[in-house]
Amino acid sequence: MKSYSELTREELLELKSELEKKYEEAKAEGLALDMSRGKPSPAQLDLSRGMLDVLNSSSELKAENGTDVRNYGLLEGIYEARKLMGDIMGVPAENVIVCGNASLNIMYDLVSRAEVFGFDGCTPWAKLDKVKFLCPAPGYDRHFGITELFGIEMITVPMNEDGPDMDIVEKYVNNDESVKGIWCVPKYSNPQGVVYSDETVKRFAALKPAAKDFRVFWDNAYAVHDLYPEKEVKLLNIFDECKKNGNENMVFELCSTSKISFSGAGISAVASSKNNIEEIKKYMTKQTIGYDKINQLRHVKYFKDINGIKEHMKKHAALLRPKFEAVLDTLEKDLAGTGVGTWTKPLGGYFISFEGLEGTAKAVVQKCKDAGMTLTGAGATYPYKNDPKDSNIRIAPSYPSLEEMSKAAALFTICVRLVSIDKILETK
Amino acid sequence: MKSYSELTREELLELKSELEKKYEEAKAEGLALDMSRGKPSPAQLDLSRGMLDVLNSSSELKAENGTDVRNYGLLEGIYEARKLMGDIMGVPAENVIVCGNASLNIMYDLVSRAEVFGFDGCTPWAKLDKVKFLCPAPGYDRHFGITELFGIEMITVPMNEDGPDMDIVEKYVNNDESVKGIWCVPKYSNPQGVVYSDETVKRFAALKPAAKDFRVFWDNAYAVHDLYPEKEVKLLNIFDECKKNGNENMVFELCSTSKISFSGAGISAVASSKNNIEEIKKYMTKQTIGYDKINQLRHVKYFKDINGIKEHMKKHAALLRPKFEAVLDTLEKDLAGTGVGTWTKPLGGYFISFEGLEGTAKAVVQKCKDAGMTLTGAGATYPYKNDPKDSNIRIAPSYPSLEEMSKAAALFTICVRLVSIDKILETK
């Protein structure tokens, strides 16, 4: 295909007219497609239905150590659930606390505690004049939402194909004491699907933070979420690397079963150093009597162990893969060579990141919406919802059916092309 | 029985020698009794086993409004669960948010948000020189634990038979702008089992707080926890009264099913004015993707409605009543007339409050512990764990079996008598 910028004004206008016809046809279909969030589809949720049978009224409702999972107590969760979640992260059970249904809530609580009480004896962040977080972007909007709420200054760090730009990360972390944290999705990053390279992980682990209470929020949300399980991509274990540098207290790793079992009713976990785990428990014991241990036991009984999880994830992959491929095929077919966009081709996770011409993302999202297709708001992938180039769009192929997804992808490229042509025409 | 203070030194020493023999006998039994917390017994937890069958792999996992309860979303909980929890509190579903398994966590989050963000546009508490909470005491140790953690100054308010001393409450709340909250367990208070009188509730609702952001934390933990369901004691609806005074924003009411279904795996809820509910949601949406809706649906399917809950609570009462009566009978038999203690005779809730001679509570708790019986730490029922008279002991009869409970009660009065005799002997 010829690059649009090389087409004449007349050629562009003709193409536009064709595309407008297609757009009107799509609009007439009265689509109602939601591609706004990384929501598993009903078929994916059906994969875990069996979990609702593993505990019933005649079950022995006890953890391995004899604890009655129905009653109060066991703040850190039942051991076997800590082991299961630890195995997802590659961390010993002893370094894991199992929490409620949302790892987001763990991250919120961590930031909130740092603000009010401070980490490890340091000044509470709320008492400091300035607190900054590094935000590799495009990134996860809900991460940015937490730091924005607490009035933490967010500094955008560019994302490369092997993770955040580590030169910039090192410059800030090692020199600026007001930099207290960084948000990372190290495997199949949201939204690019980037897996941090070994080199990137090693550079993280070797940081020499100016602030003693600087923390890496290592949100391993897609730790076992491979689309092509046979080519599973390995992420280096950050805690192993941190140990070599005496940096064990620097990292909080998070994970959950939200995209393994039930998105709204899974279990989540935090892993960290012994020191940090003790500190978390000190505050948790004032905050709650402990999280739902019946649901923890349900997860353990259903998945059994990390191999059970991996087998289960192959079924998710089988449902997700065709949807990703449908989007990627359509992008390729409709946009390759046009010069109006680039996109990632992730091997796992929940998103495809699309990079359009500067100044087009908002208009594309709006145009899609007008035809019945909801995308994540343009800009949401950047701190303060402000994409400086207005070019990034997050595509979430998981929720619609395969058929809907194919239609959605076609509509998406129509909108991208129409908006891009208008943009190019401005300069002709 | 003759009052111990009227006995001669010799009579006391003889009695002491008898009791010491009994104490050694009890000790030799090698008891291991836990009466430290208001934990339901295994038999009580068994009452809700059927809840584990109402949802299984072939269930339609949808809320009334069609929401897939397995997926993300519906921050405030499914409507039917809001209705159920609202009915427990006597509040419309619209004013209710259903949360996770611990109402304690809701209270922690409310205080935490007030500290960091402030209520209703007011200055965040963390930015004020002084923040005070009124703490009717004896009271619930975990309430005091939250305010202590946040460095809030706790002011003890005496508890009368109809609730907190309202003259003192009014004096503080209506005149001191630094008084920002009060902890209340208005029905079957922890630990006395006091139900606030209509007059008390009306005086609460008619408060004219000096601080716009003063809040009543109305922890209705035992709303349906009658020991004698046929003589159910009514608590006046505080929101109805608040409306008459234009005070709708002043109250957060809390409840949970922790002592209805499963203590570690129930659901909890907060009720408040429309304004406050909107404010809570504004922060919650940054904090979580919403709580476990499968568990919410499980509760609704199992209990169906408030009548289902009430029927279920009769079964709890049937298990708890004999234990309370065993304790009360033993206290009566062994201590009536001795002048060494008074105790409450609650019609509901989870505790009996025992008031011994000044300076005896710690010693009694220790003596019980030495014989294998764990009570709540003496002092725990007061702010800063500091019972100024060292006289209050919380008895939690729910967890041990009836047989164990009878032994425990007998051991308790032996310890009370021994410690009290020593105390009296000091003055002879």
Side-chain angles (χ1 to χ4, degrees), chain A residues 38-40 42 45-46 49-50 52-53 55-59 61 68 70-72 101-102 104-105 108-109 112-113 116-117 142 145-146 149-150 258-259 262-265 283 285-295 298 399, chain B residues 38-40 42 45-46 49-50 52-53 55-59 61 68 70-72 101-102 104-105 108-109 112-113 116-117 142 145-146 149-150 258-259 262-265 283 285-295 298 399:
Chain A
K39 279 172 81 169
L45 297 170
D46 281 341
R49 276 189 172 269
L52 298 173
D53 295 332
L55 295 183
N56 59 44
S57 59
S58 36
S59 301
L61 296 158
D68 188 331
R70 302 170 298 179
N71 222 323
Y72 293 122
N101 66 323
L104 189 75
N105 209 147
Y108 177 96
D109 280 343
S112 177
R113 283 182 209 129
V116 179
F117 308 115
R142 287 185 178 272
I146 290 174
L149 180 67
F150 283 94
S258 295
K259 290 177 178 98
F262 299 124
S263 359
Y283 293 107
T285 191
K286 301 293 179 187
Q287 181 173 8
T288 180
I289 45 89
Y291 292 97
D292 185 339
K293 296 184 297 296
I294 293 185
N295 207 28
R298 199 178 274 126
Y399 192 74
Chain B
K39 280 173 79 170
L45 297 169
D46 281 341
R49 275 189 173 270
L52 298 173
D53 295 331
L55 295 183
N56 59 44
S57 59
S58 36
S59 301
L61 296 160
D68 188 331
R70 301 170 299 180
N71 222 323
Y72 293 122
N101 66 323
L104 189 75
N105 209 146
Y108 177 97
D109 281 344
S112 178
R113 284 181 207 128
V116 179
F117 308 115
R142 287 185 178 273
I146 291 174
L149 180 67
F150 283 95
S258 295
K259 290 176 179 101
F262 300 124
S263 356
Y283 293 107
T285 192
K286 302 292 180 188
Q287 182 172 10
T288 181
I289 46 86
Y291 292 96
D292 184 340
K293 296 185 297 296
I294 293 186
N295 207 27
R298 199 177 275 126
Y399 192 74

Side-chain angles (χ1 to χ4, degrees), chain B residues 111 114-115 118-119 123-128 131 133 152 180 213 217:
Chain B
V111 172
E115 286 281 337
F119 284 141
T123 307
W125 296 352
K127 297 213 165 128
L128 299 173
V131 174
F133 253 59
I152 292 171
K180 299 296 188 188
D213 53 353
F217 290 77

Side-chain angles (χ1 to χ4, degrees), chain A residues 354-365 377-380 382 385-393 419 423:
Chain A
F354 181 83
E355 199 64 33
L357 296 180
E358 235 182 283
T360 59
K362 277 196 190 124
V364 169
V365 169
Y382 278 82
K385 295 193 170 54
N386 176 25
D387 174 358
K389 290 192 192 159
D390 183 28
S391 59
N392 185 257
I393 296 175
V419 172
K423 196 83 202 165

